[in-house]
């Protein structure tokens, strides 16, 4: 694995994670109409809110090419963003629709589809270079981490911006608001995955509570 060079925010042809690149080659053969490439972040670079997910889903972002578009989590996430004024529409239909995010940017800890939705720690570190650049250039006021992997990826990268940050002091918990000195406010949420929503771990009300907290900091 090699670190991306320069200041690029995205590399549409990135193959730095060999396992993921080969997996995408395989999936592309099976689903030739799917996007099957690193999925770029979505939303304005002036956004005060950054939402960080885990990775593209097989038939969601990996198929559509837009984060959280086309799979189970899509309607809950975009519907909630719309309800709190961060999206121009409640449903994201494709990367070519006219939906716009408002003061919000969506990204993932890992930009390529991982087998079984499980990136390795090395892949999260590797793609973290892009995440760090997004955070450095965006300078968001608030980051919402969807799930523990996203939380850990954000903290790892915030260490670059806030020297002395000790990850063990900031533990993932749904609804936790981490006020880390010299860093954006980090708010944790369970990921709006099929498992979490079908088991009732994350309900629409609980998810709305997260964005109610976001609104206290992003006006
Ligand atoms: S996951 Fe990120 S670093 Fe790895 S190949 Fe994809 S875009 Fe590159």
């Amino acid at each position: 694995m090699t670190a991306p060079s320069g200041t690029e925010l995205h590399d549409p042809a990135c193959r730095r994670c060999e396992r993921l690149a080969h997996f995408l080659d395989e999936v592309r053969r099976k689903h030739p109409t799917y996007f099957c490439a690193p999925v770029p972040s979505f939303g304005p670079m002036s956004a005060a809110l950054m939402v960080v997910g885990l990775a593209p889903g097989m038939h969601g972002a990996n198929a559509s090419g837009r984060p959280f578009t086309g799979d189970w989590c899509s309607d809950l996430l975009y519907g909630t963003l719309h309800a709190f004024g961060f999206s121009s529409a409640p449903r994201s239909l494709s990367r070519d629709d006219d939906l716009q995010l408002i003061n919000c940017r969506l990204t993932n800890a890992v930009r390529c589809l991982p087998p079984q939705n499980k990136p390795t720690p090395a892949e999260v570190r590797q793609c973290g270079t892009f995440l760090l650049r997004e955070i450095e250039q965006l300078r968001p006021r608030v980051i919402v981490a969807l799930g523990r992997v996203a939380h850990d990826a954000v903290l790892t990268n915030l260490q670059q911006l806030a020297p002395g940050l000790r990850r063990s002091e900031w533990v993932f918990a749904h609804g936790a608001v981490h006020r880390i000195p010299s860093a954006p406010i980090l708010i944790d949420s369970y990921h709006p995955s099929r498992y979490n929503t079908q088991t009732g771990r994350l309900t629409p009300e609980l998810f709305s509570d997260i964005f109610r907290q976001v609104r206290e900091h992003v006006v």
Side-chain angles (χ1 to χ4, degrees):
M1 287 184 174
T2 55
S5 60
T7 57
E8 61 189 344
L9 278 178
H10 186 67
D11 177 358
C14 184
R15 294 180 67 88
R16 292 176 180 92
C17 305
E18 279 180 36
R19 184 184 80 113
L20 301 187
H22 290 137
F23 185 56
L24 275 186
D25 292 341
E26 232 175 79
V27 173
R28 192 178 302 111
R29 279 193 290 275
K30 278 191 207 147
H31 300 283
T33 60
Y34 279 17
F35 187 73
C36 284
V39 175
S41 305
F42 176 48
M45 276 306 288
S46 55
L49 169 64
M50 174 184 259
V51 179
V52 182
L54 169 60
M58 170 71 88
H59 307 294
N62 175 64
S64 66
R66 178 189 280 174
F68 299 98
T69 297
D71 59 8
W72 183 267
C73 352
S74 185
D75 286 357
L76 178 55
L77 179 62
Y78 282 94
T80 307
L81 289 175
H82 181 252
F84 284 87
F86 291 111
S87 172
S88 65
R91 297 192 70 209
S92 175
L93 304 174
S94 80
R95 70 179 187 278
D96 301 319
D97 69 14
D98 58 5
L99 180 147
Q100 292 190 356
L101 291 178
I102 303 158
N103 209 13
C104 172
R105 188 163 168 91
L106 296 182
T107 192
N108 278 309
V110 170
R111 294 178 179 211
C112 294
L113 169 73
Q116 278 91 47
N117 275 339
K118 286 192 179 130
T120 65
E123 289 157 356
V124 176
R125 273 197 304 279
Q126 178 75 355
C127 213
T129 311
F130 293 114
L131 180 59
L132 174 61
R133 288 186 190 150
E134 291 256 351
I135 295 171
E136 279 175 335
Q137 293 186 35
L138 198 66
R139 293 279 168 176
R141 196 166 309 144
V142 174
I143 298 177
V144 171
L146 300 177
R148 192 181 301 273
V149 173
H151 167 95
D152 288 344
V154 169
L155 275 187
T156 298
N157 287 295
L158 286 181
Q159 282 178 313
Q160 310 287 323
L161 304 177
L165 185 165
R166 289 164 52 155
R167 286 175 41 178
S168 57
E169 289 177 11
W170 312 98
V171 178
F172 176 85
H174 178 81
V177 179
H178 304 288
R179 291 181 173 80
I180 304 167
S182 310
I185 294 169
L186 173 61
I187 300 180
D188 291 335
S189 169
Y190 290 132
H191 191 285
S193 64
R194 183 188 291 264
Y195 177 82
N196 283 340
T197 50
Q198 285 188 335
T199 57
R201 175 185 272 183
L202 184 66
T203 62
E205 292 72 29
L206 286 174
F207 203 46
S208 289
D209 288 344
I210 297 293
F211 287 88
R212 207 163 281 120
Q213 300 207 64
V214 170
R215 268 293 174 216
E216 287 177 15
H217 304 285
V218 177
V219 286

